[in-house]
Amino acid sequence: MYRGDGYEFVELREYVAGDDPRRIDWAATARTGELQSRVVLEDVALTLAAIVDDSPSMRVGRRRTLLASAREALGVWYGAALADDRCARITSMGPLAPVGLRGTRSASVCLHAEAPGRAFDLGTALEVAFATLPRGTALLVASDFFDLDERHEESLALLGARFDCTALVARDPWADGFPLRGFVRLRDAESGASYRVFLGKRERNRYVRAVRDREAALRARLNARNWRVGTFTEENGAHAIYEAFRLT
């Protein structure tokens, strides 16, 4: 079951670009003064798609990488595929949708797909997803979302209106504070550039607050665009899917 153009009524929500005009509830619109759409469930085969960020900043961690944890979440995601479901994997270079395969066979191909040779770009991957996936797709995006900026606002809104979107946000492995003190050399995971900085108590506390505030702002931003949001650490990738859907 997914939120689509079926017959079982679920809820009313404010109309967003891309909604089927036939689902506008005119009585509710008259009451609220804003266009309202009916959300319904349709009992059809599902398309499960995923975007996994494999950029350098996802290859960091204290005990293992965030990317390893994201791949565990991906296994749970594709593990939900039923016999008639289709699966797809979206990269910066384009979609992978196994032709003629469904269910667990399709899921296995997508799960074990090799990473593309080109550097990952989240904005491009979101655009590819919108252009290629059918309406009603269940889309998972596992990323640290560091390269998400104002340019991607429209993509987030359009995806949230067309698909059932879930964002798994990678939590900074040092979210609880740097163990280092004094003058240290830090390396930027994305660029490789290194910096010599001083880390005292004040600097470590500011970092913890900045990480917490960024995660809260990102969650609010995605929620506002109709995305389900969960977080994952380097240790709980598989469990993070269940938490995102409030199944724990």
Side-chain angles (χ1 to χ4, degrees), residues 81-97:
L82 300 179
D84 291 330
D85 292 341
R86 293 185 174 92
C87 295
R89 181 85 173 265
I90 304 297
T91 71
S92 301
M93 298 183 67
L96 168 65

PDB file of all heavy atoms in Angstrom, residues 81-97:
ATOM      1  N   ALA A  81      10.928  -5.441  -0.138  1.00  0.00           N
ATOM      2  CA  ALA A  81      10.318  -5.661  -1.452  1.00  0.00           C
ATOM      3  C   ALA A  81       9.547  -6.979  -1.485  1.00  0.00           C
ATOM      4  O   ALA A  81      10.062  -8.030  -1.092  1.00  0.00           O
ATOM      5  CB  ALA A  81      11.390  -5.658  -2.534  1.00  0.00           C
ATOM      6  N   LEU A  82       8.309  -6.917  -1.954  1.00  0.00           N
ATOM      7  CA  LEU A  82       7.476  -8.109  -2.132  1.00  0.00           C
ATOM      8  C   LEU A  82       7.580  -8.610  -3.565  1.00  0.00           C
ATOM      9  O   LEU A  82       8.239  -8.003  -4.413  1.00  0.00           O
ATOM     10  CB  LEU A  82       6.026  -7.783  -1.766  1.00  0.00           C
ATOM     11  CG  LEU A  82       5.802  -7.305  -0.321  1.00  0.00           C
ATOM     12  CD1 LEU A  82       4.335  -6.986  -0.091  1.00  0.00           C
ATOM     13  CD2 LEU A  82       6.297  -8.335   0.681  1.00  0.00           C
ATOM     14  N   ALA A  83       6.890  -9.702  -3.861  1.00  0.00           N
ATOM     15  CA  ALA A  83       7.069 -10.409  -5.121  1.00  0.00           C
ATOM     16  C   ALA A  83       6.874  -9.540  -6.351  1.00  0.00           C
ATOM     17  O   ALA A  83       7.615  -9.649  -7.334  1.00  0.00           O
ATOM     18  CB  ALA A  83       6.122 -11.610  -5.167  1.00  0.00           C
ATOM     19  N   ASP A  84       5.870  -8.655  -6.345  1.00  0.00           N
ATOM     20  CA  ASP A  84       5.564  -7.862  -7.538  1.00  0.00           C
ATOM     21  C   ASP A  84       6.185  -6.468  -7.517  1.00  0.00           C
ATOM     22  O   ASP A  84       5.980  -5.684  -8.451  1.00  0.00           O
ATOM     23  CB  ASP A  84       4.041  -7.724  -7.696  1.00  0.00           C
ATOM     24  CG  ASP A  84       3.385  -9.040  -8.070  1.00  0.00           C
ATOM     25  OD1 ASP A  84       4.052  -9.865  -8.732  1.00  0.00           O
ATOM     26  OD2 ASP A  84       2.212  -9.254  -7.695  1.00  0.00           O
ATOM     27  N   ASP A  85       6.912  -6.147  -6.472  1.00  0.00           N
ATOM     28  CA  ASP A  85       7.469  -4.797  -6.358  1.00  0.00           C
ATOM     29  C   ASP A  85       8.658  -4.605  -7.294  1.00  0.00           C
ATOM     30  O   ASP A  85       9.432  -5.526  -7.552  1.00  0.00           O
ATOM     31  CB  ASP A  85       7.919  -4.522  -4.925  1.00  0.00           C
ATOM     32  CG  ASP A  85       6.753  -4.426  -3.954  1.00  0.00           C
ATOM     33  OD1 ASP A  85       5.616  -4.209  -4.423  1.00  0.00           O
ATOM     34  OD2 ASP A  85       6.977  -4.587  -2.740  1.00  0.00           O
ATOM     35  N   ARG A  86       8.802  -3.387  -7.767  1.00  0.00           N
ATOM     36  CA  ARG A  86       9.968  -3.000  -8.554  1.00  0.00           C
ATOM     37  C   ARG A  86      10.949  -2.256  -7.657  1.00  0.00           C
ATOM     38  O   ARG A  86      10.561  -1.619  -6.690  1.00  0.00           O
ATOM     39  CB  ARG A  86       9.565  -2.101  -9.723  1.00  0.00           C
ATOM     40  CG  ARG A  86       8.735  -2.787 -10.785  1.00  0.00           C
ATOM     41  CD  ARG A  86       8.494  -1.829 -11.944  1.00  0.00           C
ATOM     42  NE  ARG A  86       7.826  -2.482 -13.055  1.00  0.00           N
ATOM     43  CZ  ARG A  86       6.510  -2.517 -13.223  1.00  0.00           C
ATOM     44  NH1 ARG A  86       5.731  -1.932 -12.330  1.00  0.00           N
ATOM     45  NH2 ARG A  86       5.972  -3.141 -14.252  1.00  0.00           N
ATOM     46  N   CYS A  87      12.230  -2.327  -8.013  1.00  0.00           N
ATOM     47  CA  CYS A  87      13.255  -1.619  -7.259  1.00  0.00           C
ATOM     48  C   CYS A  87      14.122  -0.800  -8.205  1.00  0.00           C
ATOM     49  O   CYS A  87      14.289  -1.148  -9.378  1.00  0.00           O
ATOM     50  CB  CYS A  87      14.140  -2.603  -6.483  1.00  0.00           C
ATOM     51  SG  CYS A  87      13.246  -3.527  -5.196  1.00  0.00           S
ATOM     52  N   ALA A  88      14.665   0.285  -7.684  1.00  0.00           N
ATOM     53  CA  ALA A  88      15.548   1.146  -8.468  1.00  0.00           C
ATOM     54  C   ALA A  88      16.606   1.723  -7.552  1.00  0.00           C
ATOM     55  O   ALA A  88      16.384   1.894  -6.351  1.00  0.00           O
ATOM     56  CB  ALA A  88      14.752   2.260  -9.140  1.00  0.00           C
ATOM     57  N   ARG A  89      17.749   2.044  -8.111  1.00  0.00           N
ATOM     58  CA  ARG A  89      18.848   2.702  -7.390  1.00  0.00           C
ATOM     59  C   ARG A  89      19.220   3.947  -8.186  1.00  0.00           C
ATOM     60  O   ARG A  89      19.492   3.868  -9.389  1.00  0.00           O
ATOM     61  CB  ARG A  89      20.027   1.745  -7.272  1.00  0.00           C
ATOM     62  CG  ARG A  89      21.235   2.295  -6.513  1.00  0.00           C
ATOM     63  CD  ARG A  89      21.082   2.105  -5.024  1.00  0.00           C
ATOM     64  NE  ARG A  89      22.316   2.493  -4.325  1.00  0.00           N
ATOM     65  CZ  ARG A  89      23.277   1.626  -3.986  1.00  0.00           C
ATOM     66  NH1 ARG A  89      23.127   0.331  -4.257  1.00  0.00           N
ATOM     67  NH2 ARG A  89      24.358   2.042  -3.378  1.00  0.00           N
ATOM     68  N   ILE A  90      19.211   5.096  -7.545  1.00  0.00           N
ATOM     69  CA  ILE A  90      19.472   6.358  -8.219  1.00  0.00           C
ATOM     70  C   ILE A  90      20.872   6.841  -7.865  1.00  0.00           C
ATOM     71  O   ILE A  90      21.240   6.902  -6.693  1.00  0.00           O
ATOM     72  CB  ILE A  90      18.441   7.432  -7.810  1.00  0.00           C
ATOM     73  CG1 ILE A  90      17.013   6.946  -8.095  1.00  0.00           C
ATOM     74  CG2 ILE A  90      18.719   8.741  -8.537  1.00  0.00           C
ATOM     75  CD1 ILE A  90      16.708   6.702  -9.547  1.00  0.00           C
ATOM     76  N   THR A  91      21.655   7.201  -8.884  1.00  0.00           N
ATOM     77  CA  THR A  91      22.979   7.769  -8.681  1.00  0.00           C
ATOM     78  C   THR A  91      23.063   9.099  -9.430  1.00  0.00           C
ATOM     79  O   THR A  91      22.134   9.482 -10.153  1.00  0.00           O
ATOM     80  CB  THR A  91      24.086   6.840  -9.206  1.00  0.00           C
ATOM     81  OG1 THR A  91      24.050   6.825 -10.648  1.00  0.00           O
ATOM     82  CG2 THR A  91      23.888   5.408  -8.693  1.00  0.00           C
ATOM     83  N   SER A  92      24.181   9.777  -9.283  1.00  0.00           N
ATOM     84  CA  SER A  92      24.383  11.030 -10.003  1.00  0.00           C
ATOM     85  C   SER A  92      24.432  10.806 -11.513  1.00  0.00           C
ATOM     86  O   SER A  92      24.190  11.722 -12.296  1.00  0.00           O
ATOM     87  CB  SER A  92      25.685  11.700  -9.555  1.00  0.00           C
ATOM     88  OG  SER A  92      25.669  11.955  -8.171  1.00  0.00           O
ATOM     89  N   MET A  93      24.758   9.584 -11.925  1.00  0.00           N
ATOM     90  CA  MET A  93      24.897   9.286 -13.345  1.00  0.00           C
ATOM     91  C   MET A  93      23.601   8.805 -13.973  1.00  0.00           C
ATOM     92  O   MET A  93      23.493   8.720 -15.189  1.00  0.00           O
ATOM     93  CB  MET A  93      26.002   8.241 -13.540  1.00  0.00           C
ATOM     94  CG  MET A  93      27.371   8.711 -13.079  1.00  0.00           C
ATOM     95  SD  MET A  93      28.678   7.510 -13.403  1.00  0.00           S
ATOM     96  CE  MET A  93      28.726   7.534 -15.201  1.00  0.00           C
ATOM     97  N   GLY A  94      22.611   8.468 -13.158  1.00  0.00           N
ATOM     98  CA  GLY A  94      21.354   8.004 -13.705  1.00  0.00           C
ATOM     99  C   GLY A  94      20.746   6.900 -12.865  1.00  0.00           C
ATOM    100  O   GLY A  94      21.299   6.512 -11.833  1.00  0.00           O
ATOM    101  N   PRO A  95      19.596   6.369 -13.306  1.00  0.00           N
ATOM    102  CA  PRO A  95      18.915   5.328 -12.534  1.00  0.00           C
ATOM    103  C   PRO A  95      19.352   3.923 -12.935  1.00  0.00           C
ATOM    104  O   PRO A  95      19.734   3.679 -14.076  1.00  0.00           O
ATOM    105  CB  PRO A  95      17.442   5.550 -12.912  1.00  0.00           C
ATOM    106  CG  PRO A  95      17.518   6.035 -14.336  1.00  0.00           C
ATOM    107  CD  PRO A  95      18.797   6.837 -14.443  1.00  0.00           C
ATOM    108  N   LEU A  96      19.321   3.023 -11.966  1.00  0.00           N
ATOM    109  CA  LEU A  96      19.468   1.595 -12.238  1.00  0.00           C
ATOM    110  C   LEU A  96      18.155   0.943 -11.865  1.00  0.00           C
ATOM    111  O   LEU A  96      17.768   0.923 -10.702  1.00  0.00           O
ATOM    112  CB  LEU A  96      20.601   0.997 -11.403  1.00  0.00           C
ATOM    113  CG  LEU A  96      20.676  -0.543 -11.390  1.00  0.00           C
ATOM    114  CD1 LEU A  96      20.998  -1.067 -12.778  1.00  0.00           C
ATOM    115  CD2 LEU A  96      21.709  -1.025 -10.376  1.00  0.00           C
ATOM    116  N   ALA A  97      17.443   0.430 -12.882  1.00  0.00           N
ATOM    117  CA  ALA A  97      16.170  -0.248 -12.653  1.00  0.00           C
ATOM    118  C   ALA A  97      16.211  -1.566 -13.419  1.00  0.00           C
ATOM    119  O   ALA A  97      16.058  -1.573 -14.647  1.00  0.00           O
ATOM    120  CB  ALA A  97      15.008   0.622 -13.140  1.00  0.00           C
TER     121      ALA A  97
END
